[in-house]
Amino acid sequence: MRTETERTAKKTEKEIEKLLGKMTLDEKIAMIHGAGLFRSGGVERLGIPGLATSDGPMGVRVEFMNDRWIPAGNNDDNVSYLPSNSALASTWNPYRAYEMGKVLGAEARGRGKDVILAPGINIKRSPLCGRNFEYMSEDPKLTATMTVPFVKGVQHNDVAACVKHFAANVQETDRLMVDEEIDERTLYELYFPAFKAAVQEGGAYSVMGAYNKVNGYHCCENKMLLDRVLRGEWGFDGAVISDWGGIHKTGEAAACSIDLEMSVYPDFDEYLLANPLKEAIEKGEISEEAVDEKVRHLLRLMFRLKMLGRHREERRTGAYNTPDHRQMILKTAEESMILLKNENHLLPLNAAKIKKLVVIGQNAAKIHSDGGGSAEIKALYEISPLMGLKCYLGGNVQVEYYKGYHVPEKPKIFDHNWQADSLDDLKGTDIGQLARNEEQMPGVHRRREEERLAQLKKDQAEIHEKNQALFAQAVTAAKDADAVIFVGGLNHDSDSEGIDRVDMKLPYEQDMLIEELLKVRKDLIVTFIGGSPVEMPWRDRAGAILWSYYAGMETGTAFAEILFGEVNPSGKLAETFPEKYEDCADAKNGQFGLWGRIKLEEGLYCGYRHFDRQRIKPAFCFGHGLSYTEFAYSGLTLKTEKNGEVRVTFTVKNTGRRIGADAVQIYVAPIGSRVDRPDKELKAYTKVELAPGKSRKVTLTLRREDFSYFDEALHDFVADAGDYEILVGASSGDIRLRGIATLA
Ligand code: BGC
């Protein structure tokens, strides 16, 4: 018996064919390329609208003019600023991911969008990648399990998630041309799983092809990625959208499964899937059937979004800037912040004992929502840590703020946008075909990168000079206060699309300032906002360290609540914080940030897989995060079912004095495997909230595939019979329970 959904799907397919049958070649072609910087063409005659797309993962981006990278100047495009995907992943709470997806979907619909270009789910291979803040984790399981609910949440609101960037978008250096050599097993075990889960379990309606090449071919023209894997093996029948300017050749793009060409240029008719495609079809070089297939995918997306068909009236209309959204954003921010260190219960601070609080560091007052590249937004508001502290403490507590270190100002350029520049040197040139001259592009980009590095050097001198007075002022102020909070870290001058970081150090001589402050204040509270790990050479001397990713419009509120114990921190690291960059796999093999070509020589051994194998102790390991209470785990039992599933049962107890939540992690470690495998891999986790003294029995199920690896010869995942150690831990470095499961 056929189900209702099957029947509806069949009807939809018929309607798609009917529409397609009525369309002229011109009309079909209009649908498969941009007709605006964020809009595709429609077919008015047949009532087919264009698709309205928008960035991005942290909120719906400002409204641009249709054909220029200049904000339209609207006053209704301020939006809720959501925690970045890196903050979201640190909650280790898939429910929060669902909520954030729902908020983003509602805001996108509220702003009249059909496709939201989010979430960003690439695996973090190097701590230096400029876009890490937009991505979730170094681990495929954590990424996949947070992505699926996020996608469902977005699409609940009749907006398509556009999961990006497929695949292995691991660096920004030479981002349009870099060719990444990656072996098949690494792709299947590390770089693919979250995308597979997004389309198969999350039901993502669209996927964005990445800028980079994988094994010789641009991702947006890559038959292996798009035809064989995404469509063939995973059965994806939604739409594949190019990254903006990610298509380079008409023939290649026509021949593979990319459906919509978007770009940064205003010459829409000259897009490679516009007039050049039409000419090639007319010459008989490309068949019209190639276009039909793309149109089918786009029409299917529209039916799913209720833009077409009988259910149009039922389409959700969304809403943005609602109090509800802000409340959910705050909850996520609270759960995302990570207490890295807390000696002698330095935190939480006791508000009743503070008459004068000194806050030092530019990130205390900095607004981050307006930067980072395409993820930038025009936030309705953003509560900085300083504002959060002032709001929390009220006017009767003296809160003094000192910049502490100097941040060189970057001039804001209003007449053109970095995004258009990012594909070509626009100044005074025709931005049509010239921009697609592949030979020329690396040269242009390289020059720009050299200029950036030279500027960084110049900045260094300015920073050093200005810091003398700022340091002295901060240190003096720090001596005379009831508590001192340092708020430093990174900002979108380095956590940004289009550039990679040059090192893993804190910029602006912050390390020097922290050292100075620690000399006068042993009780200094060191806090950070940033999008990727930094070295903390002074960390043995600091008593308390709190890390926050870009956590959205309520960052400051959550920050104050955590520091003053209103909220018990429960975030954990979704990526390793290495002691120094040289310890990382990509630093050791030198295959990061190169131009032209990189080989992912480390294979599966990135992140904690690498640190485990090389027995290198990171500063803070994957999965680490403290609470103001303590948890104890006990009573592990493992039960292997006939179908190969393993039931992992244990008890978690809150042994401290406060209510709190703990993300408990289960790793699988193969014993005596016949192939080389990582020492252990995260396969399940759950976040348990418990009142003091209370305990809960937790059962998690490991499926057979959680024991498997990808066998290149068989081109399939294989779970060998044998013994596997099951590790239950508070982090990857803090394993508390161990047992052995035997697979038949
Ligand atoms: C980015 C994408 C973004 C697109 C549209 C590109 O530069 O890589 O992530 O969605 O622009 O703004």
Side-chain angles (χ1 to χ4, degrees):
M1 213 178 76
R2 258 190 279 125
T3 62
E4 181 57 30
T5 22
E6 275 172 40
R7 264 200 294 271
T8 322
K10 221 165 169 214
K11 260 194 200 151
T12 305
E13 293 309 307
K14 268 197 187 151
E15 290 188 57
I16 290 173
E17 292 310 316
K18 228 161 88 191
L19 275 173
L20 195 59
K22 290 184 193 158
M23 288 165 78
T24 64
L25 177 61
D26 281 333
E27 288 170 337
K28 292 176 193 171
I29 286 184
M31 284 188 66
I32 65 169
H33 65 85
L37 295 173
F38 284 97
R39 192 172 62 79
S40 67
V43 183
E44 220 185 318
R45 182 178 71 89
L46 299 173
I48 304 171
L51 285 171
T53 73
S54 176
D55 287 300
M58 310 204 296
V60 188
R61 200 172 176 188
V62 70
E63 212 58 50
F64 281 101
M65 292 171 80
N66 193 52
D67 57 357
R68 294 172 76 189
W69 288 95
I70 297 176
N74 299 357
N75 56 15
D76 59 355
D77 52 359
N78 292 77
V79 289
S80 301
Y81 166 33
L82 280 75
S84 59
N85 286 163
S86 46
L88 182 59
S90 312
T91 67
W92 291 66
N93 187 346
Y95 176 69
R96 292 281 166 240
Y98 179 70
E99 270 193 354
M100 285 304 94
K102 241 172 127 180
V103 169
L104 187 61
E107 298 244 335
R109 269 311 287 140
R111 285 269 309 274
K113 306 299 174 195
D114 305 310
V115 181
I116 186 82
L117 308 172
I121 65 168
N122 291 98
I123 292 299
K124 302 185 189 194
R125 172 181 178 245
S126 167
L128 301 189
C129 173
R131 290 192 90 167
N132 277 351
F133 74 98
E134 286 187 69
Y135 298 150
M136 292 194 182
S137 171
E138 67 189 27
D139 182 79
K141 189 75 187 187
L142 183 57
T143 307
T145 49
M146 294 298 283
T147 298
V148 168
F150 188 93
V151 167
K152 286 186 176 161
V154 168
Q155 297 188 165
H156 167 84
N157 282 305
D158 296 329
V159 171
C162 185
V163 185
K164 66 192 191 183
H165 308 87
F166 189 57
N169 191 228
V170 296
Q171 72 170 45
E172 290 300 286
T173 307
D174 200 15
R175 67 181 186 146
L176 302 174
M177 301 305 283
V178 68
D179 185 9
E180 298 171 15
E181 188 181 331
I182 318 176
D183 65 80
E184 207 178 30
R185 182 172 168 204
T186 302
L187 282 173
Y188 276 84
E189 287 188 31
L190 213 56
Y191 295 100
F192 284 171
F195 285 98
K196 184 181 179 192
V199 302
Q200 288 193 337
E201 295 165 47
Y205 297 156
S206 73
V207 169
M208 186 189 291
Y211 277 141
N212 52 283
K213 297 179 188 172
V214 167
N215 294 334
Y217 299 94
H218 271 110
C219 290
C220 292
E221 298 162 0
N222 195 312
K223 277 180 171 290
M224 180 274 286
L225 288 177
L226 302 182
D227 294 283
R228 204 184 82 199
V229 177
L230 182 64
R231 303 261 188 222
E233 295 175 12
W234 303 345
F236 180 66
D237 65 358
V240 183
I241 302 176
S242 79
D243 199 342
W244 269 230
I247 288 181
H248 301 263
K249 293 195 178 91
T250 301
E252 269 76 349
C256 89
S257 216
I258 189 105
D259 304 310
L260 175 58
E261 181 191 12
M262 296 302 290
S263 191
V264 301
Y265 311 110
D267 57 346
F268 307 114
D269 290 341
E270 294 314 314
Y271 278 21
L272 296 160
L273 293 186
N275 284 342
L277 175 63
K278 189 178 172 197
E279 279 160 30
I281 291 174
E282 283 168 351
K283 280 193 208 145
E285 293 163 3
I286 292 171
S287 85
E288 193 169 335
E289 174 51 30
V291 182
D292 289 352
E293 197 52 17
K294 298 180 194 309
V295 172
R296 271 187 202 105
H297 293 140
L298 290 164
L299 288 174
R300 195 173 293 132
L301 171 90
M302 290 180 179
F303 276 101
R304 286 177 173 155
L305 293 178
K306 305 189 183 104
M307 295 170 71
L308 293 174
R310 287 170 300 133
H311 300 289
R312 267 186 299 185
E313 297 299 312
E314 295 156 31
R315 189 175 190 201
R316 287 180 195 267
T317 47
Y320 62 113
N321 291 332
T322 70
D324 254 23
H325 290 181
R326 300 196 277 278
Q327 200 47 38
M328 289 190 259
I329 284 167
L330 173 61
K331 284 270 159 240
T332 304
E334 289 169 352
E335 273 197 53
S336 77
M337 294 183 185
I338 306 148
L339 184 60
L340 293 175
K341 197 173 169 191
N342 191 22
E343 272 175 6
N344 307 323
H345 300 286
L346 208 52
L347 286 174
L349 296 168
N350 182 347
K353 290 193 178 148
I354 295 179
K355 294 210 168 46
K356 180 173 164 186
L357 176 71
V358 164
V359 181
I360 299 166
Q362 294 256 15
N363 264 352
K366 170 106 184 133
I367 294 303
H368 296 283
S369 46
D370 59 352
S374 59
E376 71 195 1
I377 57 157
K378 201 167 122 187
L380 182 65
Y381 65 78
E382 176 181 345
I383 309 268
S384 68
L386 187 62
M387 284 159 111
L389 290 167
K390 287 189 174 182
C391 290
Y392 182 80
L393 292 169
N396 292 339
V397 175
Q398 189 184 343
V399 180
E400 277 183 14
Y401 169 63
Y402 299 89
K403 282 186 179 169
Y405 54 87
H406 174 69
V407 177
E409 292 225 347
K410 292 263 157 79
K412 268 254 174 212
I413 302 162
F414 290 103
D415 62 341
H416 65 102
N417 180 283
W418 67 271
Q419 198 153 0
D421 288 7
S422 78
L423 289 212
D424 195 8
D425 200 343
L426 285 180
K427 282 161 224 128
T429 64
D430 154 23
I431 50 172
Q433 287 302 325
L434 175 69
R436 300 197 189 97
N437 178 341
E438 289 195 18
E439 279 69 51
Q440 191 192 17
M441 287 204 305
V444 168
H445 289 181
R446 236 185 158 119
R447 200 186 64 231
R448 215 178 278 138
E449 178 63 3
E450 278 159 16
E451 282 167 13
R452 177 175 80 97
L453 297 178
Q455 186 59 44
L456 279 180
K457 271 208 181 122
K458 271 196 216 148
D459 288 350
Q460 207 43 49
E462 179 186 315
I463 290 165
H464 189 68
E465 193 203 316
K466 298 237 160 108
N467 273 351
Q468 306 313 308
L470 292 172
F471 279 20
Q473 207 185 26
V475 171
T476 309
K479 288 180 188 159
D480 171 33
D482 298 313
V484 182
I485 302 173
F486 172 81
V487 193
L490 303 172
N491 56 41
H492 290 306
D493 287 348
S494 59
D495 278 326
S496 173
E497 181 176 339
I499 53 173
D500 290 318
R501 284 195 295 162
V502 290
D503 57 34
M504 221 184 79
K505 298 188 192 317
L506 277 167
Y508 320 122
E509 299 184 332
Q510 292 178 70
D511 285 328
M512 283 161 69
L513 174 59
I514 295 170
E515 296 276 8
E516 292 296 308
L517 290 171
L518 281 169
K519 279 186 203 152
V520 298
R521 295 295 304 217
K522 296 258 165 305
D523 61 348
L524 179 73
I525 310 291
V526 183
T527 72
F528 294 112
I529 292 177
S532 28
V534 295
E535 292 168 17
M536 303 182 197
W538 35 260
R539 71 180 192 286
D540 286 344
R541 267 157 286 136
I545 309 175
L546 180 79
W547 180 272
S548 171
Y549 287 94
Y550 302 107
M553 65 205 300
E554 290 288 348
T555 296
T557 314
F559 182 84
E561 288 171 345
I562 287 181
L563 292 184
F564 286 94
E566 205 73 43
V567 165
N568 192 350
S570 66
K572 288 194 174 182
L573 290 177
E575 63 186 309
T576 307
F577 268 44
E579 185 174 319
K580 50 188 187 310
Y581 175 57
E582 291 70 27
D583 289 345
C584 299
D586 60 296
K588 288 195 183 296
N589 61 34
Q591 294 293 310
F592 175 81
L594 304 179
W595 289 76
R597 192 176 174 78
I598 54 169
K599 184 169 180 198
L600 276 61
E601 279 171 7
E602 73 286 354
L604 297 170
Y605 296 96
C606 90
Y608 68 87
R609 289 162 171 78
H610 158 76
F611 284 84
D612 277 358
R613 175 56 54 95
Q614 300 299 327
R615 307 274 178 274
I616 301 171
K617 207 173 162 347
F620 300 104
C621 67
F622 175 80
H624 170 75
L626 302 172
S627 163
Y628 294 148
T629 187
E630 289 90 42
F631 298 93
Y633 311 161
S634 63
L636 175 67
T637 60
L638 303 171
K639 189 161 179 278
T640 310
E641 309 284 352
K642 280 204 191 72
N643 61 4
E645 288 184 354
V646 175
R647 286 176 162 274
V648 184
T649 305
F650 55 95
T651 299
V652 185
K653 182 171 185 189
N654 181 345
T655 56
R657 286 202 294 255
R658 279 168 185 265
I659 184 169
D662 189 22
V664 192
Q665 302 150 41
I666 311 237
Y667 296 84
V668 172
I671 301 175
S673 169
R674 60 185 186 90
V675 296
D676 180 46
R677 301 184 65 174
D679 297 15
K680 65 173 185 290
E681 295 182 280
L682 178 78
K683 292 299 171 184
Y685 61 88
T686 185
K687 200 164 185 179
V688 189
E689 190 178 50
L690 290 167
K694 295 281 178 219
S695 52
R696 187 175 312 151
K697 204 172 189 181
V698 174
T699 298
L700 293 167
T701 302
L702 295 171
R703 289 174 299 171
R704 204 169 169 99
E705 68 195 57
D706 294 323
F707 297 87
S708 68
Y709 59 91
F710 187 79
D711 184 322
E712 287 196 12
L714 295 175
H715 193 76
D716 206 355
F717 280 89
V718 178
D720 286 335
D723 290 345
Y724 294 82
E725 208 178 359
I726 307 299
L727 313 169
V728 183
S731 75
S732 64
D734 183 7
I735 302 300
R736 310 256 184 96
L737 304 171
R738 291 165 186 269
I740 291 183
T742 306
L743 238 61

